[in-house]
Amino acid sequence: MLHKTRPLTQHSTKWSAFMASRNGHCLCGKISFTFTGQPVRSTICHCSNCRNRTGSLFSAHIWFAADQLSTDWQDCAQYSFETPAGRMMTNYFCRDCGTNLFFRTPIADPLIAVCAGTLDDANDWLSPGKELFCRNRPDFLSIDGTDPFDTQPF
């Protein structure tokens, strides 16, 4: 079941800067992408799937509608898997350098999560709106300004 999402309104001055095109790329530069418009949401996730697929303690994402993102999907390798909750996820990454670029899950369709670390300008990443799977967050880690959830609320 899909839940309606609304565009982010926090930090409205900074988010309005997203109306212009923004860019990102993988480590080797083979895959680049452009997104336009305001993101629907931003998240940090501490679930085991995100930790494993990124090799980090958490993942950071900016979510856009599919028509806001432009890339050559032919260059992206993909890996689909089922989460412990029974939901499918598809991870898109560079087949040459292995950089995770995007992921999709039917529960969030038609949104695509852009991995925030792949943005050309780190200042395009803002504080996340939601922090997911906080029950898995390491005790030493504290992230201010989020709306925390023990699991995934949508």
PDB file of all heavy atoms in Angstrom, residues 19-53:
ATOM      1  N   MET A  19      15.054  23.734  -7.170  1.00  0.00           N
ATOM      2  CA  MET A  19      14.278  23.941  -8.382  1.00  0.00           C
ATOM      3  C   MET A  19      15.197  23.931  -9.601  1.00  0.00           C
ATOM      4  O   MET A  19      14.784  23.602 -10.692  1.00  0.00           O
ATOM      5  CB  MET A  19      13.473  25.235  -8.298  1.00  0.00           C
ATOM      6  CG  MET A  19      12.453  25.225  -7.149  1.00  0.00           C
ATOM      7  SD  MET A  19      11.563  23.683  -6.927  1.00  0.00           S
ATOM      8  CE  MET A  19      10.332  23.845  -8.181  1.00  0.00           C
ATOM      9  N   ALA A  20      16.460  24.275  -9.428  1.00  0.00           N
ATOM     10  CA  ALA A  20      17.431  24.195 -10.509  1.00  0.00           C
ATOM     11  C   ALA A  20      17.904  22.751 -10.636  1.00  0.00           C
ATOM     12  O   ALA A  20      17.695  21.929  -9.762  1.00  0.00           O
ATOM     13  CB  ALA A  20      18.605  25.109 -10.203  1.00  0.00           C
ATOM     14  N   SER A  21      18.584  22.457 -11.726  1.00  0.00           N
ATOM     15  CA  SER A  21      19.152  21.122 -11.910  1.00  0.00           C
ATOM     16  C   SER A  21      20.354  20.929 -11.001  1.00  0.00           C
ATOM     17  O   SER A  21      21.133  21.855 -10.773  1.00  0.00           O
ATOM     18  CB  SER A  21      19.603  20.938 -13.363  1.00  0.00           C
ATOM     19  OG  SER A  21      18.496  20.909 -14.214  1.00  0.00           O
ATOM     20  N   ARG A  22      20.488  19.726 -10.476  1.00  0.00           N
ATOM     21  CA  ARG A  22      21.626  19.335  -9.654  1.00  0.00           C
ATOM     22  C   ARG A  22      22.203  18.061 -10.248  1.00  0.00           C
ATOM     23  O   ARG A  22      21.510  17.309 -10.932  1.00  0.00           O
ATOM     24  CB  ARG A  22      21.200  19.078  -8.203  1.00  0.00           C
ATOM     25  CG  ARG A  22      20.564  20.280  -7.553  1.00  0.00           C
ATOM     26  CD  ARG A  22      21.620  21.334  -7.280  1.00  0.00           C
ATOM     27  NE  ARG A  22      21.052  22.368  -6.442  1.00  0.00           N
ATOM     28  CZ  ARG A  22      21.140  23.653  -6.702  1.00  0.00           C
ATOM     29  NH1 ARG A  22      21.766  24.079  -7.756  1.00  0.00           N
ATOM     30  NH2 ARG A  22      20.618  24.524  -5.885  1.00  0.00           N
ATOM     31  N   ASN A  23      23.460  17.792  -9.957  1.00  0.00           N
ATOM     32  CA  ASN A  23      24.133  16.659 -10.574  1.00  0.00           C
ATOM     33  C   ASN A  23      24.832  15.791  -9.548  1.00  0.00           C
ATOM     34  O   ASN A  23      25.129  16.226  -8.436  1.00  0.00           O
ATOM     35  CB  ASN A  23      25.186  17.160 -11.585  1.00  0.00           C
ATOM     36  CG  ASN A  23      24.584  18.032 -12.646  1.00  0.00           C
ATOM     37  OD1 ASN A  23      23.709  17.600 -13.378  1.00  0.00           O
ATOM     38  ND2 ASN A  23      25.041  19.262 -12.725  1.00  0.00           N
ATOM     39  N   GLY A  24      25.131  14.580  -9.980  1.00  0.00           N
ATOM     40  CA  GLY A  24      25.907  13.651  -9.176  1.00  0.00           C
ATOM     41  C   GLY A  24      26.569  12.644 -10.091  1.00  0.00           C
ATOM     42  O   GLY A  24      26.300  12.600 -11.294  1.00  0.00           O
ATOM     43  N   HIS A  25      27.442  11.827  -9.515  1.00  0.00           N
ATOM     44  CA  HIS A  25      28.145  10.828 -10.319  1.00  0.00           C
ATOM     45  C   HIS A  25      28.746   9.742  -9.424  1.00  0.00           C
ATOM     46  O   HIS A  25      28.850   9.898  -8.209  1.00  0.00           O
ATOM     47  CB  HIS A  25      29.247  11.489 -11.152  1.00  0.00           C
ATOM     48  CG  HIS A  25      30.341  12.074 -10.329  1.00  0.00           C
ATOM     49  ND1 HIS A  25      30.239  13.316  -9.719  1.00  0.00           N
ATOM     50  CD2 HIS A  25      31.546  11.590  -9.977  1.00  0.00           C
ATOM     51  CE1 HIS A  25      31.352  13.556  -9.045  1.00  0.00           C
ATOM     52  NE2 HIS A  25      32.159  12.522  -9.178  1.00  0.00           N
ATOM     53  N   CYS A  26      29.168   8.666 -10.063  1.00  0.00           N
ATOM     54  CA  CYS A  26      29.838   7.579  -9.347  1.00  0.00           C
ATOM     55  C   CYS A  26      31.320   7.919  -9.175  1.00  0.00           C
ATOM     56  O   CYS A  26      31.808   8.920  -9.712  1.00  0.00           O
ATOM     57  CB  CYS A  26      29.669   6.262 -10.100  1.00  0.00           C
ATOM     58  SG  CYS A  26      30.467   6.200 -11.709  1.00  0.00           S
ATOM     59  N   LEU A  27      32.032   7.080  -8.451  1.00  0.00           N
ATOM     60  CA  LEU A  27      33.443   7.315  -8.157  1.00  0.00           C
ATOM     61  C   LEU A  27      34.303   7.410  -9.413  1.00  0.00           C
ATOM     62  O   LEU A  27      35.147   8.297  -9.532  1.00  0.00           O
ATOM     63  CB  LEU A  27      33.969   6.197  -7.247  1.00  0.00           C
ATOM     64  CG  LEU A  27      35.435   6.272  -6.826  1.00  0.00           C
ATOM     65  CD1 LEU A  27      35.691   7.528  -5.996  1.00  0.00           C
ATOM     66  CD2 LEU A  27      35.810   5.029  -6.030  1.00  0.00           C
ATOM     67  N   CYS A  28      34.092   6.524 -10.371  1.00  0.00           N
ATOM     68  CA  CYS A  28      34.927   6.534 -11.576  1.00  0.00           C
ATOM     69  C   CYS A  28      34.446   7.541 -12.621  1.00  0.00           C
ATOM     70  O   CYS A  28      35.167   7.832 -13.584  1.00  0.00           O
ATOM     71  CB  CYS A  28      35.011   5.133 -12.185  1.00  0.00           C
ATOM     72  SG  CYS A  28      33.509   4.534 -12.998  1.00  0.00           S
ATOM     73  N   GLY A  29      33.241   8.088 -12.455  1.00  0.00           N
ATOM     74  CA  GLY A  29      32.717   9.094 -13.374  1.00  0.00           C
ATOM     75  C   GLY A  29      31.976   8.532 -14.577  1.00  0.00           C
ATOM     76  O   GLY A  29      31.470   9.290 -15.396  1.00  0.00           O
ATOM     77  N   LYS A  30      31.893   7.213 -14.700  1.00  0.00           N
ATOM     78  CA  LYS A  30      31.203   6.626 -15.851  1.00  0.00           C
ATOM     79  C   LYS A  30      29.716   6.955 -15.848  1.00  0.00           C
ATOM     80  O   LYS A  30      29.121   7.204 -16.885  1.00  0.00           O
ATOM     81  CB  LYS A  30      31.398   5.115 -15.873  1.00  0.00           C
ATOM     82  CG  LYS A  30      30.704   4.448 -17.046  1.00  0.00           C
ATOM     83  CD  LYS A  30      30.935   2.958 -17.076  1.00  0.00           C
ATOM     84  CE  LYS A  30      30.217   2.355 -18.272  1.00  0.00           C
ATOM     85  NZ  LYS A  30      30.366   0.897 -18.289  1.00  0.00           N
ATOM     86  N   ILE A  31      29.107   6.947 -14.665  1.00  0.00           N
ATOM     87  CA  ILE A  31      27.675   7.227 -14.572  1.00  0.00           C
ATOM     88  C   ILE A  31      27.475   8.568 -13.893  1.00  0.00           C
ATOM     89  O   ILE A  31      27.971   8.813 -12.800  1.00  0.00           O
ATOM     90  CB  ILE A  31      26.933   6.142 -13.765  1.00  0.00           C
ATOM     91  CG1 ILE A  31      27.111   4.788 -14.436  1.00  0.00           C
ATOM     92  CG2 ILE A  31      25.453   6.498 -13.635  1.00  0.00           C
ATOM     93  CD1 ILE A  31      26.516   3.636 -13.662  1.00  0.00           C
ATOM     94  N   SER A  32      26.762   9.434 -14.571  1.00  0.00           N
ATOM     95  CA  SER A  32      26.384  10.710 -13.977  1.00  0.00           C
ATOM     96  C   SER A  32      24.864  10.820 -14.066  1.00  0.00           C
ATOM     97  O   SER A  32      24.220  10.099 -14.819  1.00  0.00           O
ATOM     98  CB  SER A  32      27.065  11.876 -14.684  1.00  0.00           C
ATOM     99  OG  SER A  32      26.717  11.898 -16.046  1.00  0.00           O
ATOM    100  N   PHE A  33      24.325  11.713 -13.270  1.00  0.00           N
ATOM    101  CA  PHE A  33      22.876  11.889 -13.275  1.00  0.00           C
ATOM    102  C   PHE A  33      22.549  13.340 -12.979  1.00  0.00           C
ATOM    103  O   PHE A  33      23.367  14.090 -12.449  1.00  0.00           O
ATOM    104  CB  PHE A  33      22.187  10.954 -12.272  1.00  0.00           C
ATOM    105  CG  PHE A  33      22.613  11.153 -10.846  1.00  0.00           C
ATOM    106  CD1 PHE A  33      21.978  12.071 -10.024  1.00  0.00           C
ATOM    107  CD2 PHE A  33      23.669  10.421 -10.326  1.00  0.00           C
ATOM    108  CE1 PHE A  33      22.373  12.248  -8.708  1.00  0.00           C
ATOM    109  CE2 PHE A  33      24.069  10.588  -9.011  1.00  0.00           C
ATOM    110  CZ  PHE A  33      23.420  11.505  -8.196  1.00  0.00           C
ATOM    111  N   THR A  34      21.350  13.713 -13.335  1.00  0.00           N
ATOM    112  CA  THR A  34      20.824  15.046 -13.080  1.00  0.00           C
ATOM    113  C   THR A  34      19.443  14.888 -12.465  1.00  0.00           C
ATOM    114  O   THR A  34      18.671  14.031 -12.885  1.00  0.00           O
ATOM    115  CB  THR A  34      20.715  15.853 -14.388  1.00  0.00           C
ATOM    116  OG1 THR A  34      22.011  15.955 -14.970  1.00  0.00           O
ATOM    117  CG2 THR A  34      20.144  17.243 -14.154  1.00  0.00           C
ATOM    118  N   PHE A  35      19.144  15.707 -11.478  1.00  0.00           N
ATOM    119  CA  PHE A  35      17.784  15.737 -10.950  1.00  0.00           C
ATOM    120  C   PHE A  35      17.336  17.183 -10.879  1.00  0.00           C
ATOM    121  O   PHE A  35      18.144  18.101 -10.753  1.00  0.00           O
ATOM    122  CB  PHE A  35      17.664  15.033  -9.597  1.00  0.00           C
ATOM    123  CG  PHE A  35      18.570  15.549  -8.524  1.00  0.00           C
ATOM    124  CD1 PHE A  35      18.194  16.587  -7.697  1.00  0.00           C
ATOM    125  CD2 PHE A  35      19.819  14.982  -8.342  1.00  0.00           C
ATOM    126  CE1 PHE A  35      19.027  17.059  -6.702  1.00  0.00           C
ATOM    127  CE2 PHE A  35      20.668  15.436  -7.345  1.00  0.00           C
ATOM    128  CZ  PHE A  35      20.272  16.477  -6.528  1.00  0.00           C
ATOM    129  N   THR A  36      16.039  17.376 -11.012  1.00  0.00           N
ATOM    130  CA  THR A  36      15.474  18.715 -11.002  1.00  0.00           C
ATOM    131  C   THR A  36      14.318  18.775 -10.025  1.00  0.00           C
ATOM    132  O   THR A  36      13.707  17.758  -9.702  1.00  0.00           O
ATOM    133  CB  THR A  36      14.959  19.113 -12.401  1.00  0.00           C
ATOM    134  OG1 THR A  36      14.006  18.150 -12.829  1.00  0.00           O
ATOM    135  CG2 THR A  36      16.095  19.197 -13.407  1.00  0.00           C
ATOM    136  N   GLY A  37      14.043  19.965  -9.580  1.00  0.00           N
ATOM    137  CA  GLY A  37      12.898  20.169  -8.705  1.00  0.00           C
ATOM    138  C   GLY A  37      13.179  19.853  -7.262  1.00  0.00           C
ATOM    139  O   GLY A  37      14.282  19.486  -6.864  1.00  0.00           O
ATOM    140  N   GLN A  38      12.143  20.006  -6.487  1.00  0.00           N
ATOM    141  CA  GLN A  38      12.212  19.818  -5.038  1.00  0.00           C
ATOM    142  C   GLN A  38      12.085  18.336  -4.684  1.00  0.00           C
ATOM    143  O   GLN A  38      11.253  17.631  -5.236  1.00  0.00           O
ATOM    144  CB  GLN A  38      11.075  20.608  -4.402  1.00  0.00           C
ATOM    145  CG  GLN A  38      11.110  20.650  -2.912  1.00  0.00           C
ATOM    146  CD  GLN A  38      10.045  21.595  -2.371  1.00  0.00           C
ATOM    147  OE1 GLN A  38       9.442  22.355  -3.113  1.00  0.00           O
ATOM    148  NE2 GLN A  38       9.815  21.538  -1.091  1.00  0.00           N
ATOM    149  N   PRO A  39      12.903  17.846  -3.767  1.00  0.00           N
ATOM    150  CA  PRO A  39      12.761  16.448  -3.347  1.00  0.00           C
ATOM    151  C   PRO A  39      11.457  16.234  -2.581  1.00  0.00           C
ATOM    152  O   PRO A  39      10.914  17.158  -1.989  1.00  0.00           O
ATOM    153  CB  PRO A  39      13.965  16.228  -2.435  1.00  0.00           C
ATOM    154  CG  PRO A  39      14.314  17.576  -1.939  1.00  0.00           C
ATOM    155  CD  PRO A  39      13.944  18.543  -3.024  1.00  0.00           C
ATOM    156  N   VAL A  40      10.982  15.001  -2.602  1.00  0.00           N
ATOM    157  CA  VAL A  40       9.767  14.652  -1.879  1.00  0.00           C
ATOM    158  C   VAL A  40      10.080  14.458  -0.394  1.00  0.00           C
ATOM    159  O   VAL A  40       9.313  14.853   0.463  1.00  0.00           O
ATOM    160  CB  VAL A  40       9.136  13.382  -2.477  1.00  0.00           C
ATOM    161  CG1 VAL A  40       7.928  12.936  -1.679  1.00  0.00           C
ATOM    162  CG2 VAL A  40       8.765  13.625  -3.927  1.00  0.00           C
ATOM    163  N   ARG A  41      11.240  13.868  -0.098  1.00  0.00           N
ATOM    164  CA  ARG A  41      11.670  13.689   1.287  1.00  0.00           C
ATOM    165  C   ARG A  41      13.165  13.395   1.312  1.00  0.00           C
ATOM    166  O   ARG A  41      13.770  13.094   0.293  1.00  0.00           O
ATOM    167  CB  ARG A  41      10.891  12.575   1.987  1.00  0.00           C
ATOM    168  CG  ARG A  41      11.085  11.197   1.421  1.00  0.00           C
ATOM    169  CD  ARG A  41      10.311  10.157   2.244  1.00  0.00           C
ATOM    170  NE  ARG A  41      10.230   8.905   1.544  1.00  0.00           N
ATOM    171  CZ  ARG A  41       9.123   8.319   1.141  1.00  0.00           C
ATOM    172  NH1 ARG A  41       7.955   8.888   1.377  1.00  0.00           N
ATOM    173  NH2 ARG A  41       9.144   7.170   0.515  1.00  0.00           N
ATOM    174  N   SER A  42      13.710  13.449   2.518  1.00  0.00           N
ATOM    175  CA  SER A  42      15.104  13.042   2.722  1.00  0.00           C
ATOM    176  C   SER A  42      15.145  12.171   3.970  1.00  0.00           C
ATOM    177  O   SER A  42      14.396  12.387   4.918  1.00  0.00           O
ATOM    178  CB  SER A  42      16.012  14.258   2.863  1.00  0.00           C
ATOM    179  OG  SER A  42      15.665  15.014   3.997  1.00  0.00           O
ATOM    180  N   THR A  43      16.021  11.164   3.943  1.00  0.00           N
ATOM    181  CA  THR A  43      16.065  10.208   5.041  1.00  0.00           C
ATOM    182  C   THR A  43      17.491   9.774   5.348  1.00  0.00           C
ATOM    183  O   THR A  43      18.374   9.835   4.496  1.00  0.00           O
ATOM    184  CB  THR A  43      15.253   8.927   4.719  1.00  0.00           C
ATOM    185  OG1 THR A  43      15.760   8.338   3.519  1.00  0.00           O
ATOM    186  CG2 THR A  43      13.785   9.228   4.569  1.00  0.00           C
ATOM    187  N   ILE A  44      17.660   9.332   6.566  1.00  0.00           N
ATOM    188  CA  ILE A  44      18.831   8.562   6.977  1.00  0.00           C
ATOM    189  C   ILE A  44      18.279   7.232   7.443  1.00  0.00           C
ATOM    190  O   ILE A  44      17.250   7.176   8.122  1.00  0.00           O
ATOM    191  CB  ILE A  44      19.605   9.268   8.103  1.00  0.00           C
ATOM    192  CG1 ILE A  44      20.418  10.403   7.507  1.00  0.00           C
ATOM    193  CG2 ILE A  44      20.493   8.300   8.858  1.00  0.00           C
ATOM    194  CD1 ILE A  44      21.284  11.130   8.498  1.00  0.00           C
ATOM    195  N   CYS A  45      18.957   6.135   7.082  1.00  0.00           N
ATOM    196  CA  CYS A  45      18.456   4.816   7.446  1.00  0.00           C
ATOM    197  C   CYS A  45      19.557   3.984   8.092  1.00  0.00           C
ATOM    198  O   CYS A  45      20.686   3.938   7.601  1.00  0.00           O
ATOM    199  CB  CYS A  45      17.920   4.103   6.208  1.00  0.00           C
ATOM    200  SG  CYS A  45      17.111   2.531   6.614  1.00  0.00           S
ATOM    201  N   HIS A  46      19.188   3.326   9.186  1.00  0.00           N
ATOM    202  CA  HIS A  46      20.113   2.472   9.929  1.00  0.00           C
ATOM    203  C   HIS A  46      19.771   0.991   9.781  1.00  0.00           C
ATOM    204  O   HIS A  46      20.287   0.162  10.540  1.00  0.00           O
ATOM    205  CB  HIS A  46      20.066   2.831  11.423  1.00  0.00           C
ATOM    206  CG  HIS A  46      20.400   4.245  11.723  1.00  0.00           C
ATOM    207  ND1 HIS A  46      21.699   4.705  11.772  1.00  0.00           N
ATOM    208  CD2 HIS A  46      19.609   5.313  11.986  1.00  0.00           C
ATOM    209  CE1 HIS A  46      21.692   5.996  12.079  1.00  0.00           C
ATOM    210  NE2 HIS A  46      20.437   6.383  12.200  1.00  0.00           N
ATOM    211  N   CYS A  47      18.905   0.622   8.833  1.00  0.00           N
ATOM    212  CA  CYS A  47      18.532  -0.786   8.703  1.00  0.00           C
ATOM    213  C   CYS A  47      19.728  -1.612   8.220  1.00  0.00           C
ATOM    214  O   CYS A  47      20.670  -1.088   7.627  1.00  0.00           O
ATOM    215  CB  CYS A  47      17.336  -0.963   7.770  1.00  0.00           C
ATOM    216  SG  CYS A  47      17.696  -0.908   6.011  1.00  0.00           S
ATOM    217  N   SER A  48      19.669  -2.894   8.473  1.00  0.00           N
ATOM    218  CA  SER A  48      20.793  -3.765   8.104  1.00  0.00           C
ATOM    219  C   SER A  48      20.995  -3.814   6.592  1.00  0.00           C
ATOM    220  O   SER A  48      22.130  -3.906   6.121  1.00  0.00           O
ATOM    221  CB  SER A  48      20.586  -5.170   8.660  1.00  0.00           C
ATOM    222  OG  SER A  48      19.396  -5.738   8.152  1.00  0.00           O
ATOM    223  N   ASN A  49      19.922  -3.711   5.807  1.00  0.00           N
ATOM    224  CA  ASN A  49      20.073  -3.721   4.347  1.00  0.00           C
ATOM    225  C   ASN A  49      20.846  -2.504   3.863  1.00  0.00           C
ATOM    226  O   ASN A  49      21.741  -2.629   3.032  1.00  0.00           O
ATOM    227  CB  ASN A  49      18.703  -3.762   3.664  1.00  0.00           C
ATOM    228  CG  ASN A  49      17.975  -5.041   3.923  1.00  0.00           C
ATOM    229  OD1 ASN A  49      18.530  -6.126   3.786  1.00  0.00           O
ATOM    230  ND2 ASN A  49      16.729  -4.930   4.336  1.00  0.00           N
ATOM    231  N   CYS A  50      20.513  -1.339   4.374  1.00  0.00           N
ATOM    232  CA  CYS A  50      21.224  -0.122   3.954  1.00  0.00           C
ATOM    233  C   CYS A  50      22.669  -0.131   4.435  1.00  0.00           C
ATOM    234  O   CYS A  50      23.571   0.292   3.719  1.00  0.00           O
ATOM    235  CB  CYS A  50      20.492   1.126   4.447  1.00  0.00           C
ATOM    236  SG  CYS A  50      19.012   1.497   3.465  1.00  0.00           S
ATOM    237  N   ARG A  51      22.897  -0.628   5.641  1.00  0.00           N
ATOM    238  CA  ARG A  51      24.276  -0.720   6.128  1.00  0.00           C
ATOM    239  C   ARG A  51      25.092  -1.662   5.251  1.00  0.00           C
ATOM    240  O   ARG A  51      26.219  -1.353   4.867  1.00  0.00           O
ATOM    241  CB  ARG A  51      24.290  -1.165   7.586  1.00  0.00           C
ATOM    242  CG  ARG A  51      23.797  -0.094   8.538  1.00  0.00           C
ATOM    243  CD  ARG A  51      24.141  -0.375   9.991  1.00  0.00           C
ATOM    244  NE  ARG A  51      24.239  -1.765  10.339  1.00  0.00           N
ATOM    245  CZ  ARG A  51      23.331  -2.436  11.053  1.00  0.00           C
ATOM    246  NH1 ARG A  51      22.251  -1.819  11.492  1.00  0.00           N
ATOM    247  NH2 ARG A  51      23.501  -3.704  11.345  1.00  0.00           N
ATOM    248  N   ASN A  52      24.518  -2.802   4.899  1.00  0.00           N
ATOM    249  CA  ASN A  52      25.255  -3.774   4.081  1.00  0.00           C
ATOM    250  C   ASN A  52      25.488  -3.288   2.657  1.00  0.00           C
ATOM    251  O   ASN A  52      26.570  -3.475   2.114  1.00  0.00           O
ATOM    252  CB  ASN A  52      24.530  -5.119   4.061  1.00  0.00           C
ATOM    253  CG  ASN A  52      24.648  -5.852   5.369  1.00  0.00           C
ATOM    254  OD1 ASN A  52      25.621  -5.700   6.092  1.00  0.00           O
ATOM    255  ND2 ASN A  52      23.653  -6.649   5.687  1.00  0.00           N
ATOM    256  N   ARG A  53      24.483  -2.652   2.056  1.00  0.00           N
ATOM    257  CA  ARG A  53      24.656  -2.265   0.656  1.00  0.00           C
ATOM    258  C   ARG A  53      25.567  -1.059   0.489  1.00  0.00           C
ATOM    259  O   ARG A  53      26.123  -0.848  -0.576  1.00  0.00           O
ATOM    260  CB  ARG A  53      23.312  -2.060  -0.040  1.00  0.00           C
ATOM    261  CG  ARG A  53      22.526  -0.888   0.383  1.00  0.00           C
ATOM    262  CD  ARG A  53      21.181  -0.770  -0.332  1.00  0.00           C
ATOM    263  NE  ARG A  53      20.554   0.431   0.130  1.00  0.00           N
ATOM    264  CZ  ARG A  53      20.890   1.646  -0.254  1.00  0.00           C
ATOM    265  NH1 ARG A  53      21.827   1.819  -1.138  1.00  0.00           N
ATOM    266  NH2 ARG A  53      20.302   2.694   0.248  1.00  0.00           N
TER     267      ARG A  53
END
